[in-house]
Amino acid sequence: MRNKLMILFLLIGFTKSFGQTENNKLQISHLTGDFYVYKTFHDYKGTLISANSMYLLTDKGVVLFDAPWDEAQFQPLLDSIKARHHKDVVMHIATHSHEDRAGGLGFYKQKGIKTYTIKLTDQILEKEGKKRAEFIIPNDTTFTVGQHRFEVFYPGKGHAPDNVVVWFNKEKILYGGCFVKSTDATDLGYLGDSDVKEWEQSIKKVQAKFKKPVYIITGHDDWKDLQSLNHTLKMVREYNAAKASGNSDKK
C-alpha cells in the first residue's frame, strides 16, 4: 500500500512539474503602469535560451514590441493578452530582422495586426526570402497610440545592421532588444551580423539621447539591472581592443 501511494505521489508530482514546464513557455510579468515584459524560449544549438519582448496597453489596443522566439507561442500570446486585459493586439513592431524579433511578422500580419519595421530590416528580410512587415517606417519615428507616445530610434549598427531601440520618454523606459546585453552576459553572443566596431558609437548615441532610464529591457536574460547598457559598452570596448591587438578569438 505504501509503495502504491509513493508511486501515486510521484505521478502527481511529475504531472504537476510537466504542466508548469508547459505553462512556462510563455512568461508574462508586469513592468509598470501599462507595460508588460514577456519571455519565451528557443532551443539554440542544444541550449534553451530565453528572449525578452514587451507589450503596451493603450486605449486603442495593445502594441507588441517584437515577437515570441518560439513560434508555438504566437497565438497563445494573443490569447493571454486578450484574457488578461480584454484588449486586442493592434500593432507589432520588430526591432531587427533576426528570428527572435521579426519571426512573427507573417503570422501577425495575417491576423490583421498592423506590422512595422524600418526600411533596412525590410530589405534584409526580402533578401532572405522571409515574411515582411506591412508598413515601413523611417529610422527615427515617433508614434502616438491612444494615451501613449514613444520613439523608435536607429542608433547605427551594433548587434545587427538594422537594430532599433524604443524610448518611452514619460516613463523613462528604454526597450533595447538585442542591441543591449544583460549584465548576466559574459560575451556579446551571436556576432554573425554584428558590427562591433560601430556598436560602440551606436551605444554612445543612445546614452546621449535617452538619459536616466528607469528601466532598460534587454533582448535576453535578466533585464532588471540598469547597468546593462554600460555593461554592453564595456564588453564591446574589450572586444574591439582585443581585436585591435590581434588577441580576439571570437567570430
Side-chain angles (χ1 to χ4, degrees), residues 120-159:
L120 183 54
T121 299
D122 183 67
Q123 290 173 336
I124 294 171
L125 292 171
E126 182 180 25
K127 183 179 179 181
E128 295 178 351
K130 296 179 179 178
K131 299 293 184 181
R132 299 155 63 192
E134 182 180 3
F135 300 102
I136 308 303
I137 60 175
N139 286 352
D140 304 331
T141 303
T142 299
F143 286 91
T144 300
V145 186
Q147 74 277 33
H148 287 286
R149 184 180 176 90
F150 57 89
E151 181 179 354
V152 176
F153 175 67
Y154 175 67
K157 298 176 182 178
H159 166 76

Side-chain angles (χ1 to χ4, degrees), residues 106-249:
F107 180 89
Y108 292 124
K109 182 179 177 181
Q110 189 179 35
K111 290 287 182 179
I113 297 168
K114 294 180 179 179
T115 53
Y116 299 82
T117 65
I118 64 170
K119 185 175 181 179
L120 183 54
T121 299
D122 183 67
Q123 290 173 336
I124 294 171
L125 292 171
E126 182 180 25
K127 183 179 179 181
E128 295 178 351
K130 296 179 179 178
K131 299 293 184 181
R132 299 155 63 192
E134 182 180 3
F135 300 102
I136 308 303
I137 60 175
N139 286 352
D140 304 331
T141 303
T142 299
F143 286 91
T144 300
V145 186
Q147 74 277 33
H148 287 286
R149 184 180 176 90
F150 57 89
E151 181 179 354
V152 176
F153 175 67
Y154 175 67
K157 298 176 182 178
H159 166 76
D162 57 322
N163 46 212
V164 298
V165 300
V166 187
W167 174 250
F168 304 84
N169 188 60
K170 182 180 177 181
E171 297 83 4
K172 302 299 180 186
I173 297 171
L174 177 65
Y175 179 77
C178 299
F179 179 79
V180 184
K181 304 294 292 184
S182 168
T183 52
D184 288 345
T186 57
D187 59 48
L188 294 173
Y190 175 69
L191 296 178
D193 298 318
S194 303
D195 187 324
V196 185
K197 186 175 182 180
E198 188 169 330
W199 200 344
E200 181 172 343
Q201 296 305 315
S202 299
I203 292 172
K204 291 179 181 177
K205 287 179 186 177
V206 170
Q207 289 177 320
K209 189 173 179 65
F210 306 128
K211 299 181 183 300
K212 297 182 179 179
V214 176
Y215 301 98
I216 302 176
I217 308 303
T218 61
H220 300 277
D221 302 318
D222 184 72
W223 47 265
K224 295 180 179 67
D225 192 333
L226 282 176
Q227 291 303 309
S228 54
L229 198 54
N230 289 330
H231 179 65
T232 307
L233 180 59
K234 178 177 179 290
M235 289 196 297
V236 164
R237 283 174 168 166
E238 289 173 350
Y239 179 96
N240 287 330
K243 192 169 184 180
S245 64
N247 293 329
S248 175
D249 59 353

Side-chain angles (χ1 to χ4, degrees), residues 17-36:
S17 174
F18 179 76
Q20 288 175 343
T21 301
E22 289 295 299
N23 294 337
N24 284 343
K25 288 182 178 179
L26 173 63
Q27 300 175 7
I28 298 174
S29 59
H30 182 227
L31 179 63
T32 183
D34 293 326
F35 295 82
Y36 290 79

Side-chain angles (χ1 to χ4, degrees), residues 15-71:
T15 303
K16 186 177 179 182
S17 174
F18 179 76
Q20 288 175 343
T21 301
E22 289 295 299
N23 294 337
N24 284 343
K25 288 182 178 179
L26 173 63
Q27 300 175 7
I28 298 174
S29 59
H30 182 227
L31 179 63
T32 183
D34 293 326
F35 295 82
Y36 290 79
V37 176
Y38 71 91
K39 187 186 294 287
T40 55
F41 301 84
H42 182 79
D43 189 321
Y44 181 72
K45 296 183 178 179
T47 301
L48 197 64
I49 300 175
S50 66
N52 304 317
S53 302
M54 190 173 74
Y55 65 82
L56 168 66
L57 308 181
T58 82
D59 295 339
K60 301 297 183 182
V62 178
V63 183
L64 198 62
F65 299 94
D66 292 325
W69 199 359
D70 178 1
E71 65 180 28

Side-chain angles (χ1 to χ4, degrees), residues 7-17:
I7 292 171
L8 180 61
F9 288 139
L10 285 171
L11 286 171
I12 291 171
F14 174 78
T15 303
K16 186 177 179 182
S17 174

